[in-house]
Amino acid sequence: MNGHHGDQNDRRRFLKGGAALAGLAAVGGARPGQAQSAPGDATSNDYALYGERSRFVTAMRKRMTGPTSDSYVASPVQEIEGTITPNSLFYISSRDRGPYTPPTELDPKEHRLLIHGMVDRPLILTLDDLKRLPSVSRIHFLECVANTIPSPGGRWKWETIQERFGKMSCAQWTGVALSVLLREAGVKRGASWLIAESADGVRHSMSITMEKALDDAMVAYGQNGEPLRPVNGFPMRMFVPGWEGVRNIKWLRRIKVVNEPYLTQTESHVNPHLRLTGKSRWFNLEMGAKSVITFPASGARPLNGPGYYEITGLAWSGLGAVRRVEVSTDGGRNWQDAKLDEPVLRIAWTRFRLPWKWNGEETILQSRCTDEQGKVQPSLAQFSEVWGVRPDYFQETENQVTHFNPIQRWRVLPDGTAKNAIWDI
Ligand SMILES: Nc1nc2c(c(=O)[nH]1)N[C@H]1C(S)=C(S)[C@@H](COP(=O)(O)O)O[C@H]1N2
Ligand SMILES: [Mo]
């Protein structure tokens, strides 16, 4: 897959002449999308209501308040079975009117995606147009750069796994590979970046490299077998596997092909690295190797007396597949390899499990992820060393720390509950 031009590339274009296909209009020729008639009258009594879960099941997302820009809805990661977050429990992070206010619902018949800039054939696409193109479905996690931020503003002492790790989820995404769309538009020589922009009030926009766009990025319209939810970007969003959550533009309305990254307003605003003198990195794109034990954990169901349990958790890396997860049940003296659920997918949550006999005494549990590129999840001490600060800096700082991926420690207490122990050094 490449961005070169010429006859060969022309032949590989899926749609001859781009705009020739009815509904896939070049700029200037846009027409309102045609309403598709439903397969059957879904309003008749023959159709049951949209599903509900058992009234005995109580897992809920949680509203989190912190510094205004960091308010979000946290997913109950401790309650997720396996590796897929149901859409009703998916985390939400939105900067426009906040995650608690549903966005203005975009009408897919009115909504348009514009692809322009350094292209031979600018395109305007409706959701229906997008659905006519070759599609892919892939399972990937999505993680906010600020997932696990230790103590936002030094004031909010988040404790439970849902509060500390709830800014991530994992789903199966369906959409059109960006490489297909870019081939349709015909990328001009010298184009090296894309700027993706949203239709919401803040015009959220972000830079994405052409390399990533042609590799595995997509414009997604499906999430776990159904259309995206309004809060997650309906009718379409950018999906950039493994990259920081903030670049996955929801309510996507424009892709501009350019020859350099733009430091967009939202980009500079949300990239706290820009504010840390001496430690600044303009672009820190992929999420690193990380893991967390989801049971036992602070906020998860308590242990019910000594005996056999299965320690289980999630591991992931924005750089590829998880290769190994080690677990320690004795405060880090000994480590054992946990069993990974198969298939182990790249840039997806990987469920790990380890049988454990608890003797009823206080102990510290922790997990360490290694990904296929050999990146090992750092200890808090190692992470602090890279930053050139003392480990307790992260607990108190007013600076927002992002890409925080040190090993998480849970202290199991004799009463069977667990507490956050990452700061107990
Ligand atoms: N248009 C738009 N896209 C956005 C955002 C936003 O505020 N507006 N938030 C970003 C951030 S910070 C994250 S972490 C992810 C969250 O996606 P989700 O709400 O579907 O979980 O979307 C990103 N895309
Ligand atoms: Mo985010």
Side-chain angles (χ1 to χ4, degrees), residues 238-282:
M238 182 64 78
F239 198 85
V240 196
W243 280 27
E244 37 190 36
V246 69
R247 285 167 202 279
N248 295 258
I249 307 292
K250 303 191 278 191
W251 315 294
L252 181 68
R253 67 154 208 176
R254 190 155 75 104
I255 296 171
K256 189 174 180 188
V257 179
V258 295
N259 60 4
E260 61 183 353
Y262 287 16
L263 194 57
T264 67
Q265 195 271 334
T266 37
E267 204 149 32
S268 53
H269 173 69
V270 302
N271 199 332
H273 290 276
L274 294 170
R275 300 203 294 262
L276 280 170
T277 43
K279 303 288 164 200
S280 299
R281 282 175 71 175
W282 271 39

Side-chain angles (χ1 to χ4, degrees), residues 93 95 144-145:
S93 178
R95 282 162 203 282
C144 179
V145 281

